Amino acid sequence: MILPLPQQRRPPLFRDDEPVVQGRSLLPGAREPGAVIPRFGDTDLWNFNGVLKRPTNVTASNWTICFSLELEDPYWNLLARELMILVLNPRHPAVLRSSVVLDGTADPRTLAKIASRLRTTARWARGKGLPAHPDTWTVEDLRQRITDLVAEGVSPESVRNHVSGLKTLAAAEPALTLPWPVGDPWPGQSARNVAQASSCRPLATPTVPPTTWFPLIRAAWAYIHDFAPDVFRADRRLRELKGVARPSPHGIDDRLEEWLADPHNKVPVHAMPSEGEEPQVHWALLTLLLGYEAALYTAFSDIKSPKKRRRRTLVLGAVAEGRTTAHALTGELTQVIRPDGGAGPWHPGIDQKALFEVKTALRDAAFTLVVGLSMMRDSEIHEILRDPVVEHYSTSAISSTKIKGTTDRPGKHWWIAEPLVEALAVAEAVSRHPERVFSPVYASEQDVALGGAQMLAAFVTFVNASRDWTGLDEIPTTYIRPHMFRRTMAMLTDQFPGSEIATGIQLKHLAKRALANATTRGYAASDTEWAKYLGDALDNVKFRKIKDLYERHTAGEEIGFGPGAERVKDAFDQIDATVRARNGDARTADTLLRTTRIHVRFGMLNNCTADHTNPVGAVCLENAIVPEGHIGPLDERCRPDRCANSMIGPEHLPIYDSYQRKQLQLINNPSTPACRRDLAERKLDIAHSVLKMAGGPR
């Protein structure tokens, strides 16, 4: 029993044996008789593991509240426990009778933050010479607490959290047993205003630099798409060998001679022997291949036993003949081009130890792809369960659980591209957990929480360490965290929707449906480094298209129609004549194409050849109000049928042909209203003019 304190104004609202969690969904084990549920009278520790559902990426230690240091003081201890149980149970009958209304979305992590703020407040009071307990404090003292935090240079967001905590204490004061300064220290003001934490401040979350993003995503895709089949083949072979392995070495001599008699059998050796060193036999794997448990490799120990010496001599004789392999579990591996220009397998040899390492790398690669391209939060990825890919509005999507800002764990869907489906399938195949997709590879650690940042760092380290074999690009070891990928994808899909991502990493249409969730403008704000990179990428794509036009024109193919096309053809003819006069080659043509002022803006309905710095003859600018700061034509006012800068390409003609037939259908339909028929006739004239430009009605 806890003894009452002299400062108590009345008995607590809660009994010492009352559970601190009420009115919430408990885990099945917590509802069984004898289950340990934290009680209000527990003054040392509240452990919510096994009581409340813990997010997968939260460690067990973060699901406990320890009343240590300043909170060991009986006054602060009771104050902390009362405030926490009030926050956890805002609909408790005793709380409602006290007319206290608090937010009911708290979880143990929120309680830990409450405990931390109370500790620092008690520590601050001791340093300022205030009474040890707040029973004689005033609201002016609380305001001074925030003033001191600001003077210390604490971030506005952290100050806002402290202000919010003091406001919560003020709201809970009528239900507290112990005295607390009465009244809101900042009546009528929000915590954000008090802390001067602007909601319009620039987002602190940085993007992943493009120099890191591209090689990281490429490497993850290589492991998922190219290397995973080899890993799974080795895993299946190892399971098969273990499944038939005999626990006793009985008959191993006859089996060894029979195995060596087959010339197709090669002795397994460890990968990458030292320079000038003979291949080292992998005795444990050889024992498995012979049909015995790996622990029986001692049957080949080099001791005084004549039988063991004979076995070892037979094996080493086969090694001397060159009958060795570092790929006993896999056979030939996928071939790659290495940094030195040579070709070879992507791994030196997958044995039991290496198999564990590459399976971990596959899990981390799958996590990298999902976090990098789905816009899911780290917590949401860790909540992905088996069979996560579903059809949502006729599109593949990941089904998972939203954690942030909720207590009821609502289900949610994130649209994804096909490579992410493959990545999740690989992660699911590697996982040993009965439910979760992303879990530790060790079977004995399935309840251990994984860290997204640690998986990203481990994958970068693994890729860079094996570059000499895999031929993958080096990944800069910059600071990267899961939430930075969400910010990066939000920026990319807002600034460059579906454009240079697929071009840059050549993953088919990987970014086609990238924008699966709504994002704030702060998340979608442009990034200088990415803008420069993608600006250069767009210039390169544009040059490749112009170069393709030039090659088609010099080959005698038709590249376009209209006045704009004629100017482009004239420019190409001049370049071709210059190349011929210089006896030049393709490199000369490329140089001239880059230096000649050829302006082509490629579009869906036509190509615009206007010079963006001096768009003479652009019909779109006639009688138009040009927005301040705008340079070049106005795309939304384009008139391909009568602009002197218009270039109609062969790829555009089927569109206009279909458009013309559609308008004819409307005109010839008796039920079409007169006003709609007039509009169709005007549109028909436009389509007819464009087709006539290409050689007459089609």
Side-chain angles (χ1 to χ4, degrees):
M1 178 178 179
I2 301 175
L3 297 177
L5 298 174
Q7 299 98 326
Q8 287 186 208
R9 300 178 295 179
R10 56 178 173 271
L13 296 180
F14 308 97
R15 306 184 312 274
D16 287 349
D17 62 347
E18 192 163 355
V20 300
V21 181
Q22 302 179 39
R24 295 201 182 192
S25 297
L26 304 180
L27 294 174
R31 292 191 287 267
E32 297 177 359
V36 180
I37 300 178
R39 308 287 170 173
F40 178 68
D42 297 337
T43 59
D44 298 325
L45 181 74
W46 288 1
N47 188 352
F48 294 94
N49 289 289
V51 178
L52 293 176
K53 174 67 176 176
R54 173 165 52 90
T56 306
N57 65 330
V58 175
T59 62
S61 61
N62 288 332
W63 218 235
T64 60
I65 310 300
C66 184
F67 298 97
S68 58
L69 302 176
E70 284 76 9
L71 297 188
E72 292 176 348
D73 181 284
Y75 190 106
W76 287 101
N77 186 280
L78 178 57
L79 181 66
R81 287 186 289 114
E82 282 195 316
L83 179 60
M84 291 180 189
I85 198 171
L86 287 170
V87 171
L88 270 179
N89 304 280
R91 305 299 297 172
H92 190 285
V95 179
L96 295 176
R97 285 195 297 269
S98 67
S99 301
V100 170
V101 179
L102 299 176
D103 182 17
T105 60
D107 67 12
R109 288 174 296 179
T110 304
L111 303 187
K113 294 175 182 177
I114 291 175
S116 175
R117 287 194 284 267
L118 288 175
R119 283 193 192 93
T120 56
T121 300
R123 201 174 300 146
W124 164 82
R126 187 170 61 246
K128 298 291 287 187
L130 292 176
H133 301 142
D135 52 342
T136 58
W137 294 3
T138 64
V139 291
E140 286 75 15
D141 294 326
L142 301 182
R143 295 192 192 103
Q144 186 61 43
R145 163 66 173 154
I146 301 304
T147 301
D148 290 347
L149 286 174
V150 174
E152 292 171 7
V154 177
S155 68
E157 193 62 28
S158 296
V159 173
R160 183 182 70 84
N161 291 331
H162 281 274
V163 173
S164 179
L166 295 177
K167 280 179 163 288
T168 300
L169 273 166
E173 189 274 335
L176 296 176
T177 301
L178 296 169
W180 182 262
V182 179
D184 186 343
W186 304 275
Q189 298 184 65
S190 67
R192 184 178 297 279
N193 288 337
V194 174
Q196 296 181 352
S198 173
S199 59
C200 299
R201 70 189 188 283
L203 192 71
T205 302
T207 60
V208 179
T211 53
T212 299
W213 196 92
F214 281 104
L216 179 59
I217 296 299
R218 288 193 192 105
W221 179 239
Y223 272 86
I224 294 299
H225 188 67
D226 299 330
F227 304 158
D230 294 336
V231 177
F232 291 140
R233 188 166 64 252
D235 191 43
R236 286 193 300 270
R237 178 60 175 154
L238 185 61
R239 286 201 304 268
E240 291 171 359
L241 293 173
K242 289 182 176 180
V244 299
R246 284 174 272 184
S248 169
H250 178 72
I252 192 171
D253 293 293
D254 294 338
R255 174 58 185 147
L256 176 61
E257 292 183 3
E258 178 187 354
W259 190 83
L260 289 174
D262 186 347
H264 293 97
N265 291 330
K266 296 183 179 181
V267 178
V269 295
H270 289 283
M272 297 180 66
S274 302
E275 186 73 23
E277 184 180 344
E278 293 294 326
Q280 300 297 311
V281 177
H282 199 310
W283 297 105
L285 183 52
L286 173 62
T287 307
L288 274 175
L289 291 172
L290 292 173
Y292 299 90
E293 291 183 355
L296 298 178
Y297 73 91
T298 53
F300 298 93
S301 299
D302 188 15
I303 59 177
K304 294 182 179 180
S305 169
K307 288 186 177 181
K308 293 183 179 181
R309 284 204 307 271
R310 180 177 177 276
R311 296 169 195 151
R312 192 179 187 91
T313 300
L314 289 173
V315 173
L316 294 179
V319 172
E321 296 172 2
R323 289 178 56 186
T324 62
T325 179
H327 307 290
L329 291 178
T330 59
E332 291 298 323
L333 296 177
T334 298
Q335 301 291 298
V336 296
I337 303 299
R338 294 173 180 161
D340 59 4
W346 67 272
H347 197 280
I350 301 178
D351 56 15
Q352 294 98 312
K353 179 182 178 182
L355 181 60
F356 170 80
E357 295 173 347
V358 292
K359 286 172 69 175
T360 303
L362 287 182
R363 180 203 65 194
D364 297 345
F367 179 86
T368 300
L369 279 182
V370 174
V371 77
L373 301 167
S374 69
M375 292 185 68
M376 297 180 73
R377 296 183 177 91
D378 181 53
S379 60
E380 295 158 349
I381 296 175
H382 286 286
E383 293 294 326
I384 297 176
L385 303 181
R386 291 187 177 274
D387 297 322
V389 179
V390 298
E391 188 175 276
H392 186 59
Y393 289 98
S394 302
T395 304
S396 296
I398 298 175
S399 174
S400 188
T401 304
K402 184 178 183 295
I403 301 295
K404 184 174 181 180
T406 65
T407 56
D408 52 351
R409 303 172 64 87
K412 194 174 179 182
H413 295 91
W414 289 262
W415 286 319
I416 57 174
E418 191 63 31
L420 267 67
V421 177
E422 188 172 340
L424 287 170
V426 169
E428 192 170 353
V430 171
S431 175
R432 303 288 295 274
H433 197 277
E435 296 178 347
R436 286 161 38 198
V437 169
F438 293 101
S439 67
V441 176
Y442 278 120
S444 60
E445 299 181 353
Q446 292 306 295
D447 291 331
V448 175
L450 292 174
Q454 287 73 22
M455 283 195 284
L456 290 170
F459 183 67
V460 170
T461 301
F462 188 86
V463 170
N464 287 340
S466 56
R467 285 185 58 242
D468 290 343
W469 284 88
T470 62
L472 296 173
D473 295 334
E474 183 174 4
I475 305 172
T477 53
T478 53
Y479 178 87
I480 51 174
R481 292 295 183 269
H483 63 283
M484 294 169 61
F485 287 89
R486 179 176 164 87
R487 159 80 168 95
T488 303
M489 185 55 70
M491 180 272 300
L492 287 173
T493 50
D494 178 78
Q495 302 291 322
F496 314 96
S499 57
E500 291 311 308
I501 303 175
T503 302
I505 60 178
Q506 297 178 355
L507 296 185
K508 299 181 181 178
H509 303 290
L510 195 53
K512 197 171 190 178
R513 303 182 188 274
L515 189 53
N517 307 307
T519 59
T520 63
R521 293 305 304 171
Y523 248 67
S526 62
D527 177 83
T528 304
E529 196 170 358
W530 272 98
K532 180 182 182 301
Y533 180 91
L534 291 177
D536 294 341
L538 287 171
D539 289 341
N540 291 334
V541 171
K542 179 180 176 181
F543 174 75
R544 287 196 297 271
K545 290 185 175 181
I546 292 177
K547 182 179 177 181
D548 179 62
L549 285 179
Y550 171 77
E551 292 175 348
R552 287 164 50 196
H553 177 68
T554 55
E557 298 181 25
E558 183 59 71
I559 63 171
F561 311 94
E566 295 305 319
R567 288 204 303 274
V568 172
K569 292 175 185 177
D570 290 341
F572 285 166
D573 289 338
Q574 293 176 20
I575 292 174
D576 188 47
T578 304
V579 171
R580 293 176 184 276
R582 295 181 181 178
N583 294 321
D585 54 9
R587 184 178 296 275
T588 305
D590 284 358
T591 303
L592 291 172
L593 282 171
R594 289 186 182 276
T595 56
T596 304
R597 295 175 61 85
I598 300 176
H599 302 282
V600 182
R601 296 163 61 128
F602 296 93
M604 182 64 70
L605 299 179
N606 77 323
N607 300 326
C608 179
T609 61
D611 183 352
H612 68 279
T613 60
N614 184 27
V616 177
V619 175
C620 60
L621 298 179
E622 294 179 0
N623 303 317
I625 299 176
V626 180
E628 184 178 352
H630 178 80
I631 298 176
L634 296 172
D635 296 339
E636 67 277 8
R637 290 171 54 88
C638 181
R639 286 297 303 271
D641 59 317
R642 64 184 189 89
C643 183
N645 297 310
S646 179
M647 174 181 177
I648 305 298
E651 67 276 12
H652 300 131
L653 298 180
I655 299 175
Y656 284 100
D657 186 38
S658 174
Y659 190 66
Q660 177 180 247
R661 285 185 277 107
K662 179 63 177 178
Q663 304 310 313
L664 286 171
Q665 290 177 5
L666 290 173
I667 294 171
N668 296 328
N669 189 344
S671 62
T672 302
C675 58
R676 183 68 181 87
R677 184 177 291 107
D678 292 341
L679 178 60
E681 288 176 349
R682 290 197 296 272
K683 292 182 176 180
L684 177 64
D685 291 340
I686 295 175
H688 183 72
S689 298
V690 171
L691 293 173
K692 186 177 180 180
M693 196 183 300
R698 301 179 63 83

